Amino acid sequence: MVPHLTTALTGPLLELEKQFLDRASEIEKWFRIQWQDHLPPFYGSTDLRNSGFKLAPVDLNLFPGGFNNLNDAFMPLCVQAAQAAIERICPDASKLLLVPENHTRNQFYLQNVAKLVSILRLTGLDVRIGSLLPDVTAPTVLELDNGARLTLEPLRREGGRLGLEGFDPCAVLLNNDLSGGVPAALQGLDEQWVIPPLHAGWHFRRKSRHAEAYDRVAREFAATIGIDPWHINPEFGVCGQINFQERTGEECLAHQVDTLLTRIRAKYKEYGIADEPFVVVKADAGTYGMGVMTVKDASEVVGLNRRQRNKMAVVKEGLEVHEVIIQEGVHTFETVDGAVAEPVVYMMDHYVVGGFYRVHTERGRDENLNAPGMLFKPLAFETCCTLPDSAQGPDAPPNRFYAYGVVARLALLAASVEIEETEPAADALAV
């Protein structure tokens, strides 16, 4: 059970959930047809924001690092979904190589790897972990705080295949987002499946491309069930000529912020929303909540002080930020134990496999919660996000979580479209 979870579900969002509930059969049929045309990513997670008048995804991660935060009760769902993903990609697979991030001192991330390995092994796969760290020259055992144990092994490359000493896998599964580029060991693996594909990494992927794909998916879905797509779709803009350290591109950024805020204010007026609109400016590539700022007026992005510029100028792996996405901010009205919270939904193949809440005791409902000091509630959702109950009201937990699952799957479908459409250029840009 989620402790003391409160959600201000009023107005259009309650209507939205009722629409999802009333049209559940049609929604599931629509998804089934979509997945016949689009290959789902192996896995993904999406951050949702529930404002009471809008339910929308604000981030989609194709290399999720929080499997340790899922409720163990959903392990059978995870295993079943992982089996479907493996059968779709490599039906005769018996061996799988997992390549993680180099965060060997991050206990939470390592616990995520351990949980992911346990899920994959329950599918019948022989799973081993290959490390990109140059100092891993022999099998290295890591003892984790939760009692789990991981063995990292040095990678071994032979022609167009990657494996370990005495271990030749069918596929290579990346839990590394490639922010710093594609290591030589992963380039040119033309004899193996690499999942997700290399061009799904942050060295190439852009949040704005995902937002554009999601915009199309959301519009088609909204037309199918008869809703205003704005209720599930954050507006966005892009500025691709910014240099925070040199203070160039501020005019472009201010213009995009002002344009977006003007559109949002018009929608707020249309629906009688009294809250103050805001936008979130963030690096167009990258993760870990780095390079993010909340803005309520265009003047706030002109003449940033040194601390603000430093915060925005560099993201993971020390990469400089020159492209930003300006995304409509979605307030969160959800709290867990009195602290502001947002749901995070996890998926494998095209199935929702669970979720949890990101909680921050020091942030407001119009701020980024993916920041130092955040907490996770691993006790997770009460239901699996796939079983609505028409006998209960739209605000009942099964139906609220079903709405989460619908919107999360829309984001996953958009990621599938995004990956397909960027593939032709991947070979040139993956190296």
Side-chain angles (χ1 to χ4, degrees), residues 37-366:
D37 295 333
H38 304 286
L39 177 69
F42 185 85
Y43 51 17
S45 67
T46 188
D47 300 346
L48 302 179
R49 300 277 286 205
N50 176 354
S51 70
F53 53 84
K54 186 163 190 162
L55 174 61
V58 294
D59 197 22
L60 189 286
N61 186 2
L62 288 170
F63 303 87
F67 280 96
N68 55 308
N69 293 315
L70 297 181
N71 193 323
D72 285 337
F74 295 146
M75 180 66 85
L77 270 176
C78 294
V79 174
Q80 183 182 35
Q83 284 176 326
I86 292 295
E87 290 169 2
R88 189 190 300 269
I89 294 169
C90 196
D92 298 325
S94 60
K95 298 178 181 178
L96 182 75
L97 177 65
L98 176 64
V99 179
E101 298 274 1
N102 293 335
H103 305 324
T104 54
R105 295 184 181 180
N106 186 326
Q107 281 286 322
F108 295 111
Y109 175 72
L110 293 175
Q111 289 171 23
N112 154 74
V113 174
K115 176 60 74 72
L116 183 55
V117 168
S118 67
I119 291 169
L120 294 169
R121 284 178 176 163
L122 285 171
T123 69
L125 289 171
D126 180 5
V127 183
R128 287 163 68 174
I129 305 171
S131 176
L132 291 166
L133 288 168
D135 55 348
V136 176
T137 58
T140 303
V141 178
L142 301 179
E143 302 285 350
L144 307 189
D145 292 345
N146 65 353
R149 174 184 293 184
L150 291 177
T151 300
L152 305 183
E153 301 183 64
L155 293 168
R156 180 169 180 172
R157 178 71 181 260
E158 292 188 3
R161 301 184 69 83
L162 185 67
L164 310 172
E165 181 69 36
F167 185 78
D168 184 23
C170 163
V172 177
L173 175 62
L174 300 178
N175 198 242
N176 183 311
D177 65 23
L178 307 178
S179 291
V182 181
L186 295 175
Q187 296 177 18
L189 296 178
D190 51 12
E191 298 178 18
Q192 284 171 305
W193 283 95
V194 178
I195 46 180
L198 294 178
H199 65 283
W202 283 124
H203 66 294
F204 175 67
R205 187 174 176 236
R206 294 294 179 268
K207 295 176 183 178
S208 55
R209 290 196 199 109
H210 175 78
E212 195 277 329
Y214 182 80
D215 180 72
R216 284 181 278 141
V217 167
R219 288 178 184 276
E220 180 180 340
F221 174 81
T224 299
I225 67 168
I227 64 171
D228 182 346
W230 181 74
H231 288 303
I232 57 172
N233 186 14
E235 303 261 7
F236 75 99
V238 181
C239 181
Q241 47 185 310
I242 190 81
N243 188 313
F244 288 100
Q245 295 291 20
E246 297 179 4
R247 296 194 173 192
T248 58
E250 287 185 346
E251 297 80 5
C252 164
L253 182 55
H255 173 72
Q256 289 290 344
V257 167
D258 187 61
T259 299
L260 196 56
L261 282 171
T262 299
R263 295 210 306 263
I264 299 168
R265 290 188 188 106
K267 295 301 289 189
Y268 276 31
K269 182 177 180 180
E270 177 183 346
Y271 286 103
I273 297 166
D275 291 294
E276 183 179 9
F278 69 100
V279 298
V280 178
V281 178
K282 51 188 175 182
D284 205 13
T287 185
Y288 291 96
M290 302 176 72
V292 179
M293 65 185 298
T294 298
V295 179
K296 297 180 179 179
D297 188 271
S299 63
E300 297 174 29
V301 299
V302 178
L304 297 175
N305 61 39
R306 178 176 296 180
R307 181 173 177 273
Q308 291 171 319
R309 296 201 313 275
N310 289 340
K311 175 186 175 183
M312 293 298 298
V314 178
V315 291
K316 186 185 174 188
E317 304 288 351
L319 300 178
E320 293 185 1
V321 175
H322 296 296
E323 302 168 300
V324 295
I325 180 173
I326 304 95
Q327 188 178 61
E328 176 185 354
V330 181
H331 302 81
T332 178
F333 274 75
E334 303 202 64
T335 63
V336 174
D337 296 336
V340 174
E342 64 186 13
V344 182
V345 178
Y346 267 57
M347 296 156 286
M348 300 186 79
D349 197 72
H350 63 283
Y351 301 99
V352 174
V353 297
F356 51 86
Y357 281 89
R358 177 183 288 114
V359 181
H360 208 301
T361 59
E362 299 177 1
R363 292 291 175 107
R365 61 187 183 89
D366 60 355

